Amino acid sequence: MKIIPKIPVVFKGKFPKDFINDVDGWSFPRDKLKKNKGKILTLDIDLGKTCSLNCPHCFRRDNKFKNSDVTEMSYEEVLDVVKQAKELGLESVKFLGAGEPFENPRFLEFLKELKKMQIKPLIFTKGHVIGDDELAKKYFSHEGIKNSEQLVERLKELGARILLGFNSFNTEIQDAMVGGIKGYTLKRNRALELLARAGFNKHNPTHLCIATNPVTKMNYNEIFEIYTWGRVRNLYVIVCPTMVAGRARSREFQKRITPSREKLIQLYVKIYKFNIEKGIQTLEDLKRDGISSYAGGAPCNQVACGMYVRLDGTVLRCPGDDITIFGNIRKESLKSIWFKSENFKRAGTYNCHCPPKDGKTIPKDLYTEVLKRLEEELGCS
């Protein structure tokens, strides 16, 4: 059954001239990267591993993290990593897992610490806790939370930016994409409606994002509709093929779920044409900045100003990569790891594309081919 969340349109015509095509705190503009070259501006971190869902494509879950011999960092260790990063320029933290952040009873406590340090929290979540009164109370009653509305208000007070998993409007498809959890989609929809009602999408850049990723053969035909639906409601929309880590590590799995090269290129072209028509971007912007690994979104530059600290203390290039290891926070300082990393050598780069996915789930020629077709279709070639 197709169910579309009830959220009012924000932009009925062209987008404002000062519109910022990003979710606040994720990537950074060219001038900021130049001014802060060599600093850690963002970190991706894990905080806990509990998750009641079972997404078949999850890039953070595999058998390794179910084993008891994996010693996860304590709350205090993770907080210390953030404090170390703050001394190196940290402005934002993205929570990725390895579990569902809102199934961690100490999560709000951690967000309070970030607020004290004036660090922006960006939270990747599937939304089922936010959209369920009983679950909101279950995990955060000790924080005075009795229902979903109170949880959303607390998140607003703490300056959270929410990146909500959103693979499909269709309940059967969406429930299947979180592991066959019946009723999940309705909770996610409610979460999105509550967040919009609380004003998370009233900012520029927005504080509310929907993540359609990964683009798969199962949800491909819905992606453009979701993208356009979200953008006019000031929801940043993440569109990209699967990560190449966790359960999606094997090339066989990647090929099985990922649409063909031609279909991906067509989708990217269609999305960028929409952006140009709406005034989100211009063709000149794209010629200057290049095509992003996130269709229609800001270029990814987190591998030029940040790193990823995994649950066990291992520091990697980014969340989409569980192979390129820079060190372990339990053996040396974050500063030491950062200065010898390839990411530090890449400092100042505005569009890094996607080193882990390029040539795997993202076709090698996607960036050049998309720009070429846009120029041809818009009569600029």
Side-chain angles (χ1 to χ4, degrees):
M1 180 185 297
K2 182 177 181 179
I3 301 178
I4 299 178
K6 297 177 181 178
I7 299 175
V9 171
V10 175
F11 304 124
K12 294 183 178 179
K14 290 272 190 176
F15 280 55
K17 290 185 177 180
D18 64 347
F19 178 76
I20 300 174
N21 184 28
D22 205 351
V23 59
D24 189 36
W26 188 345
S27 59
F28 298 90
R30 194 186 302 274
D31 59 344
K32 190 174 189 69
L33 288 170
K34 184 178 181 180
K35 183 178 179 180
N36 295 277
K37 186 176 181 179
K39 292 184 178 181
I40 291 181
L41 297 178
T42 188
L43 270 187
D44 296 285
I45 62 173
D46 285 343
L47 184 65
K49 60 183 178 182
T50 302
C51 184
S52 59
L53 304 180
N54 191 26
C55 304
H57 54 268
C58 183
F59 71 98
R60 286 302 298 116
R61 306 288 288 185
D62 56 27
N63 292 333
K64 179 166 54 179
F65 285 97
K66 293 181 180 178
N67 295 338
S68 58
D69 60 346
V70 175
T71 304
E72 63 184 281
M73 288 192 296
S74 66
Y75 177 97
E76 289 73 23
E77 284 180 294
V78 178
L79 185 58
D80 181 65
V81 170
V82 173
K83 290 178 178 178
Q84 289 184 53
K86 179 66 177 177
E87 294 179 359
L88 298 170
L90 186 70
E91 295 188 7
S92 67
V93 166
K94 299 193 291 295
F95 294 94
L96 299 147
E100 161 60 45
F102 290 102
E103 291 186 27
N104 184 334
R106 298 192 72 180
F107 188 53
L108 294 184
E109 182 182 348
F110 200 89
L111 295 184
K112 293 176 188 176
E113 293 295 333
L114 293 186
K115 186 174 183 180
K116 291 178 186 176
M117 291 185 276
Q118 297 183 314
I119 295 171
K120 300 173 183 178
L122 288 85
I123 308 163
F124 284 86
T125 174
K126 291 299 183 180
H128 55 290
V129 174
I130 298 176
D132 185 316
D133 290 327
E134 291 304 315
L135 290 179
K137 182 178 179 180
K138 173 184 176 181
Y139 290 107
F140 301 110
S141 60
H142 60 285
E143 292 280 357
I145 302 298
K146 298 179 181 178
N147 54 47
S148 298
E149 286 88 347
Q150 290 182 355
L151 177 57
V152 168
E153 285 302 317
R154 186 68 58 84
L155 291 172
K156 185 177 179 180
E157 292 169 8
L158 294 171
R161 283 77 167 151
I162 302 296
L163 301 99
L164 182 70
F166 201 106
N167 309 110
S168 175
F169 287 127
N170 184 288
T171 56
E172 288 78 13
I173 292 175
Q174 183 61 79
D175 287 356
M177 291 188 74
V178 295
I181 311 296
K182 291 185 178 180
Y184 159 78
T185 307
L186 299 180
K187 295 178 182 180
R188 180 211 62 188
N189 286 357
R190 181 170 184 249
L192 186 58
E193 291 171 350
L194 289 173
L195 290 162
R197 193 181 306 161
F200 278 73
N201 62 332
K202 302 299 183 185
H203 303 267
N204 183 30
T206 187
H207 289 189
L208 187 54
C209 164
I210 54 176
T212 69
N213 57 311
V215 177
T216 69
K217 294 175 182 177
M218 182 180 289
N219 68 344
Y220 176 86
N221 291 331
E222 288 187 81
I223 298 298
F224 184 70
E225 181 186 4
I226 294 173
Y227 183 85
T228 56
W229 177 86
R231 294 318 302 260
V232 299
R233 289 164 174 78
N234 200 24
L235 309 177
Y236 190 69
V237 185
I238 304 173
V239 176
C240 61
T242 183
M243 296 284 203
V244 293
R247 290 177 175 174
R249 185 183 295 113
S250 79
R251 290 291 287 140
E252 180 184 350
F253 180 83
Q254 295 161 21
K255 291 177 180 178
R256 188 166 68 247
I257 71 167
T258 305
S260 68
R261 165 190 173 277
E262 181 58 27
K263 283 195 170 184
L264 286 174
I265 290 173
Q266 288 177 4
L267 176 63
Y268 274 62
V269 169
K270 199 172 181 180
I271 284 173
Y272 277 110
K273 284 183 69 177
F274 170 84
N275 278 12
I276 292 170
E277 290 167 1
K278 287 291 186 177
I280 297 174
Q281 294 168 301
T282 67
L283 186 58
E284 291 306 312
D285 291 335
L286 299 178
K287 288 179 179 179
R288 180 190 66 237
D289 300 335
I291 298 298
S292 172
S293 54
Y294 301 110
C300 180
N301 48 49
Q302 64 189 53
V303 292
C305 60
M307 300 182 291
Y308 168 40
V309 184
R310 201 170 62 184
L311 189 69
D312 59 358
T314 302
V315 182
L316 298 107
R317 176 167 55 183
C318 72
D321 181 354
D322 54 8
I323 297 175
T324 309
I325 296 174
F326 293 160
N328 192 294
I329 199 66
R330 286 170 162 165
K331 297 179 180 179
E332 56 184 317
S333 70
L334 189 72
K335 181 177 181 180
S336 173
I337 296 171
W338 169 241
F339 284 130
K340 67 181 183 181
S341 71
E342 71 172 57
N343 287 10
F344 176 74
K345 295 174 184 177
R346 203 184 278 116
T349 305
Y350 178 60
N351 187 346
C352 300
H353 296 305
C354 186
K357 290 187 282 189
D358 289 346
K360 294 179 181 176
T361 57
I362 295 180
K364 289 181 180 179
D365 64 342
L366 179 138
Y367 306 111
T368 55
E369 186 64 23
V370 168
L371 186 56
K372 175 186 173 184
R373 294 193 191 184
L374 281 169
E375 291 179 313
E376 290 173 350
E377 293 189 26
L378 295 172
C380 301
S381 58

